[in-house]
Amino acid sequence: MRRFLLRHRPSVSRRHPLWGENHRLRDWVIRSGCLTFRREQVARGVAVGLLVGLTPTVGFQTLLMLGGCLLVGGNFPAAFLVSWVSNPLTMTPLYLAFHELGEYAFGAWLERVISHTDWLGEAMIDLSCTALGSLMVAIPAAVLGYLATLGGAEVWQRRRHAARDRRRRARRALQQQGADPTDQT
């Protein structure tokens, strides 16, 4: 069955009609690992998705994730799914928490650096506090997401291989006893 499916799968250009006959673009995307579901690429995609998803970049998140995935060879679908940590329901509380964290950590320093005599200076201080506070959360979350994804994939793969080995041993034991392994009655 597996050979049949592999033999009759659609060609790469038919699977991705947007690429058309542009083989360079298709080859570049394939080489970048942007659509590869290996554990390293998925872990990089999770890191990019968390980094971009936890920063106040609404409106540009998809472009930033695509660029980040192409840059580091991360899996774009994984990045896109993980970036929904900052969905419209959680965006306001997250940004308020980022602002408070940034103001607590950098507020006094930013007030000395940026002149805040008018509303533009105040807005710059508030935006800088939010951006720096979000980076204080996004960078460790991206690193932890990367490591957790790699570790989880390793555990999952070990369990899968152990289960496969158990099935093989059971099949061999049945064959040695003279029973037919396909007879499951």
Side-chain angles (χ1 to χ4, degrees):
M1 180 65 149
R2 184 171 184 265
R3 279 189 228 144
F4 174 80
L5 291 174
L6 288 176
R7 201 172 347 138
H8 291 89
R9 68 182 173 194
S11 67
V12 174
S13 62
R14 284 182 57 203
R15 279 186 283 170
H16 304 288
L18 295 176
W19 292 340
E21 297 300 318
N22 193 347
H23 299 292
R24 281 190 222 151
L25 177 64
R26 181 194 67 209
D27 294 342
W28 180 57
V29 169
I30 290 171
R31 274 194 319 269
S32 73
C34 209
L35 298 174
T36 305
F37 284 95
R38 293 191 197 110
R39 76 180 148 198
E40 182 69 29
Q41 281 81 10
V42 171
R44 288 179 194 158
V46 167
V48 169
L50 283 173
L51 183 68
V52 173
L54 290 174
T55 54
T57 54
V58 177
F60 301 104
Q61 286 186 344
T62 303
L63 290 174
L64 290 172
M65 283 183 292
L66 184 58
C69 285
L70 288 172
L71 184 67
V72 299
N75 182 280
F76 178 72
F80 189 77
L81 287 174
V82 171
S83 72
W84 274 89
V85 70
S86 65
N87 60 47
L89 295 175
T90 62
M91 192 180 307
T92 304
L94 278 174
Y95 289 176
L96 285 173
F98 295 156
H99 177 73
E100 292 299 317
L101 180 62
E103 192 169 342
Y104 176 76
F106 300 105
W109 176 73
L110 286 172
E111 286 181 7
R112 285 192 310 253
V113 172
I114 300 173
S115 64
H116 59 332
T117 56
D118 58 347
W119 66 271
L120 187 61
E122 288 292 327
M124 287 299 295
I125 290 174
D126 287 341
L127 285 174
S128 299
C129 285
T130 305
L132 291 171
S134 70
L135 287 176
M136 287 176 63
V137 173
I139 292 172
V143 170
L144 288 174
Y146 174 78
L147 295 174
T149 304
L150 275 182
E154 180 70 26
V155 167
W156 178 73
Q157 191 170 8
R158 284 185 185 179
R159 287 184 180 179
R160 192 179 76 175
H161 287 305
R164 183 187 66 200
D165 291 342
R166 281 193 302 271
R167 286 191 307 269
R168 284 181 181 170
R169 279 186 297 228
R171 199 176 312 126
R172 285 184 191 135
L174 284 173
Q175 286 175 348
Q176 288 176 353
Q177 292 174 357
D180 184 16
T182 59
D183 187 25
Q184 298 286 329
T185 59

